[in-house]
Amino acid sequence: MNGIKIRGTGRGLPGRLVTNRDLENIVDTSDDWIVSRTGIRTRRYCAPGETLSGLAASAARRALEDAGVSPAEIGACIVATLSADTLVPAAACLLQRELDLPPDIPCFDLNAACTGFLFALHTMECLLNASPRKFGLVVGAENLSRLINWEDRGTCILFGDGAGAAVVECREGWPSISAVTGCHGNDALLRVPGAGTGERSLISMEGTRVFKFAVEAVPWCMDQVLKKSGRTAAEVDFFVFHQANARIIDLAVRKYRIPPEKYYKNIAEYGNTSAASIPLVLSELREQGRIGPGSRVLAVGFGGGLTWGGCLIEFA
Ligand code: COA
């Protein structure tokens, strides 16, 4: 199988900035508690009129521009999300119309919660191997603010909205991204009920138990990706972690002795944006010139499902 590389990235962020102090006016919490337990200081919410599809389109347009690829060259489009504006049509179908992507390509949404973007990269690698077009559009986008349970102070402070996108390219002879993906069917630890359950469609989570799962899943995924790719941690230029809690990242960094210049946290600014978190990091790093052509990035994610995943992806 031929591998994919990232050619361009972009992001789309909503306009409403919400600080921990703002949340102090809504729930019984404090800036100190939120910062010390999670590392989050602010998050962004969609303002009235802003939509997930709009954020996804902004991120995707920037990624196409960054990659120097035209919509007509795209062979597949996947939006990783758990919070699309509509279940049907999928956000990816609306993106097809908005960006004028070719009509004869697969465009669909993928829900693997916070691991969605990595599941989508893996899926895209498979799809592009079977496509005559060599570029793919992978977006992670969330509008989680509308799913927040304001009666649960343990979860309402965590989440934010946003979108990140990557244009990937598939070429003969390129190494596979060595994706590792998995799930334990678990509907107790992290849940957003859908229509038909009779429950309110709001996020509920057993935070401490999810934390324990994440702390084990992250190094496990890193080990598996390195093993599958035949690379060592020293050969990785940058480590990108799902931004769920700064303490989870700190534990992984300590375990692998990753130096500060090789990893990044933007959770303080955006909170947990689920499927958008990894592409948001990629897009900021690329803009700052910290990753670019030739960089080898190990990305790891985990989330509801429970799902986990990792891959080693290079930049074209
Ligand atoms: N403000 C102030 N106090 C709060 C609070 C808040 N927003 N939320 C909870 N507390 C209180 C609790 O009521 C509890 O008080 P008590 O000891 O008097 O009962 C105390 O803080 C500790 O609560 P706990 O839930 O045990 O905290 P924690 O250390 O586990 O941190 C999370 C909570 C959610 C930050 C943490 O568990 C976490 O990040 N989990 C992983 C989440 C994750 O990764 N989710 C996404 C997967 S993609």
Side-chain angles (χ1 to χ4, degrees), residues 29 33 37-38 114 153-154 205 207-208 211 242 244-245 272 302:
T29 190
W33 191 94
R37 301 313 289 163
T38 70
C114 304
R153 66 175 179 165
M205 180 175 72
T208 311
F211 190 95
H242 167 49
N245 186 316
N272 180 346
F302 57 88

Side-chain angles (χ1 to χ4, degrees), residues 27-31 33-34 37-38 40 113-115 152-159 190 205-214 242-248 272 274 301-304 306-307:
V27 287
D28 179 14
T29 190
S30 67
D31 178 52
W33 191 94
I34 301 173
R37 301 313 289 163
T38 70
I40 300 168
C114 304
T115 324
D152 178 6
R153 66 175 179 165
T155 59
C156 68
I157 47 111
L158 296 172
F159 300 102
L190 185 40
M205 180 175 72
E206 298 251 0
T208 311
R209 289 174 67 195
V210 173
F211 190 95
K212 282 189 186 138
F213 156 71
H242 167 49
Q243 309 279 310
N245 186 316
R247 289 186 293 143
I248 296 174
N272 180 346
S274 191
F302 57 88
L306 296 168
T307 54

Side-chain angles (χ1 to χ4, degrees), residues 53-255:
S53 301
L55 299 181
S58 311
R61 269 198 200 93
R62 290 188 179 120
L64 285 164
E65 201 178 305
D66 183 36
V69 168
S70 74
E73 295 175 276
I74 294 294
C77 169
I78 308 176
V79 177
T81 184
L82 64 86
S83 53
D85 301 323
T86 48
L87 287 179
V88 178
C93 297
L94 297 176
L95 208 50
Q96 184 277 332
R97 180 180 68 188
E98 184 67 24
L99 300 180
D100 204 14
L101 300 176
D104 59 340
I105 62 167
C107 295
F108 59 95
D109 291 358
L110 181 157
N111 176 359
C114 304
T115 324
F117 185 77
L118 299 180
F119 275 47
L121 280 179
H122 180 39
T123 308
M124 184 59 79
E125 187 169 78
C126 301
L127 284 174
L128 289 182
N129 270 275
S131 168
R133 296 189 180 91
K134 287 300 148 212
F135 297 99
L137 181 58
V138 184
V139 182
E142 300 290 5
N143 181 358
L144 300 175
S145 58
R146 68 187 176 85
L147 301 175
I148 288 173
N149 179 359
W150 290 106
E151 284 155 25
D152 178 6
R153 66 175 179 165
T155 59
C156 68
I157 47 111
L158 296 172
F159 300 102
D161 302 339
V167 169
V168 300
E169 181 178 0
C170 182
R171 290 273 168 226
E172 209 175 318
W174 280 358
S176 162
I177 60 172
S178 301
V180 168
T181 51
C183 101
H184 291 305
N186 180 307
D187 65 353
L189 296 195
L190 185 40
R191 189 174 149 82
V192 184
T197 59
E199 298 167 62
R200 289 187 302 167
S201 193
L202 300 175
I203 302 168
S204 65
M205 180 175 72
E206 298 251 0
T208 311
R209 289 174 67 195
V210 173
F211 190 95
K212 282 189 186 138
F213 156 71
V215 165
E216 284 173 17
V218 171
W220 188 87
C221 283
M222 290 167 74
D223 285 342
Q224 297 304 309
V225 172
L226 290 172
K227 198 165 143 195
K228 196 168 174 183
S229 63
R231 299 284 181 186
T232 63
E235 291 175 287
V236 175
D237 298 309
F238 222 96
F239 293 83
V240 170
F241 300 98
H242 167 49
Q243 309 279 310
N245 186 316
R247 289 186 293 143
I248 296 174
I249 299 173
D250 293 342
L251 286 168
V253 160
R254 217 172 301 145
K255 185 162 183 164

